[in-house]
Amino acid sequence: MVIPTRNEARNLPAVFARLPAHLYEVIVVDGSSTDDTIEVARSLRPDVRIVRQVGNGKGNALSTGLSEARGDILVTLDADGSTDPAEIPRFVGALVAGADLVKGSRFAQGGGSADITRSRRLGNRALCGLVNRIYGTSYTDLCYGFNAFWADCLTLLETPRPQLGAAGVTDAESPFGRGFEVETVINVRAAKAALRVWEVPSYECRRIHGVSNLSAIRDGFRVVGRIWSESPALSARYHGTMAAPREAVHGLLPEPTPAVAQHDDAVVDATGSFQAQVTPLIPEQPTAARARSSNGHPAVER
């Protein structure tokens, strides 16, 4: 699990209190906090891994933390209390049931938000429509920071993109971008790589303490820019290549068709098993059995 932080000392106790038991690891990526974020994290969970962020922005923080993760399942979680760690078994259950990437949705049946404004809701709807039209997906939520995926998908999701400097020199940027466009980048690249993506309902709470750095207008334009730059035609023209097909990672699959499934009534029973009616929204290719043990750990984050 990767949690980016910056001055979240007052929020971490509530977030850590709802973490499921037996997680394999918790990584806090700290972006130069000036409060006691690191000390609080260590006092709450002595086994927490603290990673110091060198760059700036949420996208950079997530890329930094994910590159350090050692588990077979990677989960991204916000540190402000808006995403509920108690929902993690729902995400893991969907991965074990056959998904490559599971994204939380505030707009799937059973989801919701106590924090989203009318302008952000309309913006999310417009951006979803744009992505669905370009990439043939059926996403209901594009800009939500609660995601989980198998670690071997990371290579496909963080394909670096060059950035043109003033003199036309290309400099490698953060693989996910630097800011709040990171969730959009992950969703778009999952579609381009033909990963099996499932949505599960998630409820967004209000930030407990502090003020969000999110700006609906500024970050909305950044998201539109990333959608545009990630589009297949522009990728081929400006970046020379698109994300490699999934078979390049596993050597097991034929050329796949993008797949998105939505879990409207997802629940987890007492044993942690995932129970839901899954309706593929785009035809799927068979996915190889999930026997993830390349690093010696079982295929479920512990």
Side-chain angles (χ1 to χ4, degrees):
M1 171 181 298
V2 176
I3 307 175
T5 62
R6 189 170 188 271
N7 297 330
E8 300 287 3
R10 291 193 296 167
N11 293 324
L12 287 184
V15 173
F16 276 40
R18 294 184 64 79
L19 290 174
H22 311 302
L23 290 175
Y24 174 63
E25 66 179 356
V26 176
I27 298 175
V28 167
V29 183
D30 189 67
S32 302
S33 291
T34 56
D35 65 1
D36 297 328
T37 293
I38 294 177
E39 292 75 13
V40 169
R42 285 175 172 157
S43 67
L44 293 170
R45 191 177 180 106
D47 63 341
V48 69
R49 293 180 60 200
I50 303 294
V51 177
R52 307 276 184 165
Q53 182 181 357
V54 176
N56 298 306
K58 184 179 181 181
N60 176 271
L62 284 178
S63 176
T64 300
L66 290 170
S67 67
E68 294 286 334
R70 299 172 298 192
D72 294 311
I73 288 177
L74 308 180
V75 180
T76 63
L77 188 76
D78 291 338
D80 59 6
S82 61
T83 49
D84 186 359
E87 294 180 357
I88 290 175
R90 178 185 300 170
F91 288 70
V92 174
L95 289 171
V96 173
D100 296 318
L101 182 147
V102 180
K103 56 191 297 293
S105 173
R106 297 162 291 182
F107 307 111
Q109 182 178 347
S113 175
D115 187 56
I116 195 167
T117 62
R118 184 173 183 271
S119 61
R120 286 172 54 206
R121 184 186 298 271
L122 292 175
N124 183 80
R125 184 180 301 173
L127 293 170
C128 270
L130 180 61
V131 167
N132 290 340
R133 181 179 180 85
I134 294 174
Y135 299 99
T137 53
S138 298
Y139 294 145
T140 65
D141 201 346
L142 192 68
C143 306
Y144 190 46
F146 207 166
N147 298 288
F149 51 89
W150 293 99
D152 62 2
C153 296
L154 183 59
T155 303
L156 297 177
L157 297 176
E158 64 173 9
T159 305
R161 299 297 184 198
Q163 182 179 25
L164 288 177
V169 179
T170 59
D171 298 313
E173 66 174 12
S174 173
F176 293 133
R178 292 183 176 86
F180 287 94
E181 71 273 20
V182 54
E183 287 87 16
T184 297
V185 171
I186 289 174
N187 293 332
V188 164
R189 290 182 181 169
K192 290 166 65 175
L195 300 184
R196 183 176 294 182
V197 180
W198 289 358
E199 287 187 337
V200 297
S202 180
Y203 188 82
E204 180 185 35
C205 303
R206 295 186 186 277
R207 165 183 273 273
I208 302 173
H209 299 288
V211 179
S212 174
N213 292 318
L214 176 67
S215 169
I217 296 176
R218 179 198 65 201
D219 292 301
F221 277 112
R222 290 177 66 93
V223 170
V224 171
R226 294 301 298 202
I227 294 172
W228 180 261
S229 66
E230 291 281 339
S231 65
L234 289 176
S235 292
R237 178 177 177 182
Y238 292 112
H239 306 311
T241 182
M242 291 179 9
R246 189 165 174 74
E247 63 181 336
V249 176
H250 299 297
L252 296 174
L253 299 179
E255 191 68 24
T257 300
V260 178
Q262 183 175 352
H263 288 206
D264 287 338
D265 297 304
V267 296
V268 178
D269 63 21
T271 66
S273 299
F274 185 81
Q275 304 292 332
Q277 288 297 114
V278 181
T279 304
L281 304 181
I282 299 175
E284 301 179 353
Q285 294 287 342
T287 298
R290 292 287 180 180
R292 312 283 183 176
S293 58
S294 60
N295 58 5
H297 304 306
V300 179
E301 184 170 337
R302 296 170 291 177

